[in-house]
Amino acid sequence: MKFSLSWLKQYLETDATIEQVADTLNRIGLEVEGIENPADRLAGFTVARVMTAAPHPQADKLQVLSVDRGDGNPLQVVCGAPNARAGLVGVFGVEGATVPANGMVLKKTAIRGVESNGMMCSVAELELGDDHDGIIELPADAPVGMAFAQYADLNDPVIDVAITPNRQDCMGVVGIARDLAAAGLGTFKPVEVPAISGSYPCPVEIATLDPEGCPAFFGRVIRGVKTGPSPDWMQARLKAAGQRPISALVDCTNYLMLACGRPAHAYDLAQLNGAVVARRAAEGETVTALNGKQYILTSEMTVIADDAGVHDIAGIMGGEHSGCTDDTTDVLLEIAYFTPERIARTGQALALTSDARSRFERGVDPAFLDDGLALLTDLILQICGGEASDVVHAGQPPMERKAIAYDSARCATLGGIDVPADRQKAILESLGFDVAADWTVTVPTWRRDIDGPADLVEEVVRIVGLDNIASAPLPRADGVAKPTATPQQSLERKVRRAAAARGLNEAINWSFLPQKEADAFGGGVWSLENPISEDMKVMRPSLLPGLLSAAQRNIDRGASSVRLFEIGRRYLADSERLTAGIVLAGEKAPRGWASGKAAKFDAYDAKAELLALLAAAGVATESLMVLGEAGAHYHPGQSATLRMGPKNILAAFGTLHPATAKAFDLDGAVIAGEIFLDAIPAKKGTGFMRPAYTPPALQAVTRDFAFLVPETLAAGELVRAIRGCDKANIAAVRLFDRFAGQGVPEGQVSLAIEVTLQPGEKSYTDPDLHAISLSIVSAAEKLGAVLRA
């Protein structure tokens, strides 16, 4: 929310500088996002008088001016404005000044052969309005030589404050002034509400037929208004707040909203037919809003309507056809209380935002309806004239005030600051709370965020200053600190470090996907009803879509090799699943004199990466089974799963299916894989440290075996069978050759296996080695293998 310093001082009597105001706002929890002084942008622009104006010798539409800027040394300026003439007093930009509208730095230059020093400026060039047909004309008695910002009283800093959703009371300048006064920066000046009696009965029937969505609807008519531009002071404040002045009637409603946090609406009475009521919309009913867009409504939405139809999406935006115009003479003023939850749901369903919605969905002050209507009426009568009717009250706003039993000692125990009880009482009362002798605190109607004693402690502590909380170390137990990471956190850390150590780059993607990307992986189970955008609608069923999109962006920007990993969660029907994903794309190794063409990634690279990460996670990878059914998004002949037993799938990997790669605009082979970290069995705690590693005293022995096996037999099955046949002696088993061709029967292949044997207490004898060899051959024969002669 933006406001000028002068506007703030209308409600806060203070001599504080803009820096002191900003520091105090930050200290009490109202974050200042920026400070901008319009005068800074107009540095180098002064009031100047045109002494003479002569035709340009080389251009019919240009004039050569002699400009007096108050220093006694007139400057020659070439100007094309049609209203430039001798005697005109305007705004002159000196050499070196920056034009706000386009960022151009003024310098001495030649225009059609005539030297020009600086520039006489228009309203549009200084971003003070839209008029660009001529240069600014000031009164003849304007002091020549004075800085224009000073003359125009533009030295008024603008503060931009981020208002959190719970501070609905600070959605107006009045609320911010109240907080600053409570913090000791000045004296709060409450809004003076005039008493305006109507001179005739309200000619329009007003009612609320939806007490759940609109408990209260107040209104009155003003006849004989004369609209036009709003006063300069009002326009200046609206511009400071980022609002574009429209007309006096509309500007008055916006001014009330920004000053007091109270949205209101003015209808052109001539465009209304019959009674004006707050009601639920009919299913499928439509309305064209002030933004020119048509919206289809549902029966869960509240609208303001008459006999002809809907005129206002209640609490969010007015209708196009009943808004005030330059021809409006009679207006109906509406001030209502709308249920915050109803406004929030309606705005989300229609994807429609407005300043009014941002206030109503937070919750406006229900006790400010009559006062707000009186203030708005007074503004319109002063600026536009007219005659006001009696006020019509339809319904009643929820006026119940919470009463909280408070213990002043909680400030020290909960907030960490020992504030005297009388100081706490003064703070709460300065914020609008009523504090009884027994410390029963009654919450003001504008603070619906206050719910219990903890909230009151927060109010006291933030006004005293969070920076006054003394630093205190957390208690620490004696001895060696116990680990705080959970087993799952430790697992994530191990896998992350292992992936980074292997040269993979970590990616952090959104948990949301476009529908198209989710569909490429079977679709997502969960979709958001109110996503940030359509590209972030579906909760990801896999980590791969985000990694593939990241790979595609990197390749599009010239990356020749992409190696990405991510650790995050998939969102399935039953729960969230911790997962690690990898994507390999592009070149595995660049071309070179020794290797020739660049090497590409294949499915075996993904398998190697996943096995390494699983090993880092503590999985005995040598016992894993390699089976199919990796998923429809993988190439059916170039993918597999890693399983601990036939049912527990720990990982899936392979070459991406061409259709899936095409969905992400990826060319060539793309390799991917996922480790389902939640499927890794937790380690059983033994309660004892593992024994220290002792290197074997005797040298290992290796033996080679060659087997003829069916070509359909996976080599891993043979390796696993041999490893398990004599665990006491076999330390490692490795496939080192696969051959098919001459000398090997058709339908079979030759697999050469290296077996490492580790003796324990004594060296092997020949009978020992013979017995081990027989057990190895026997285990292989069970799979249909035959020892080659």
Side-chain angles (χ1 to χ4, degrees), residues 49-135:
R49 186 186 306 275
V50 178
M51 306 297 294
T52 63
H56 192 289
Q58 302 295 331
D60 295 338
K61 294 185 178 182
L62 298 179
Q63 297 186 75
V64 180
L65 311 180
S66 176
V67 178
D68 176 18
R69 56 175 181 164
D71 62 354
N73 297 310
L75 294 175
Q76 179 173 282
V77 178
V78 176
C79 180
N83 63 332
R85 61 187 184 277
L88 179 145
V89 178
V91 181
F92 174 69
V94 301
E95 183 180 350
T98 301
V99 180
N102 53 27
M104 178 179 67
V105 179
L106 299 177
K107 58 184 179 181
K108 184 185 295 185
T109 187
I111 301 177
R112 294 290 185 93
V114 177
E115 182 181 281
S116 181
N117 302 272
M119 182 176 72
M120 296 296 292
C121 303
S122 70
V123 170
E125 287 163 338
L126 298 185
E127 291 190 335
L128 299 175
D130 298 327
D131 185 10
H132 54 78
D133 293 334
I135 57 178

Side-chain angles (χ1 to χ4, degrees), residues 582 584 588 600-610 671:
I582 67 168
L584 309 173
K588 177 182 178 181
K600 300 294 184 180
F601 291 107
D602 58 26
Y604 293 105
D605 295 309
K607 180 183 178 183
E609 297 295 340
L610 296 189
I671 313 303

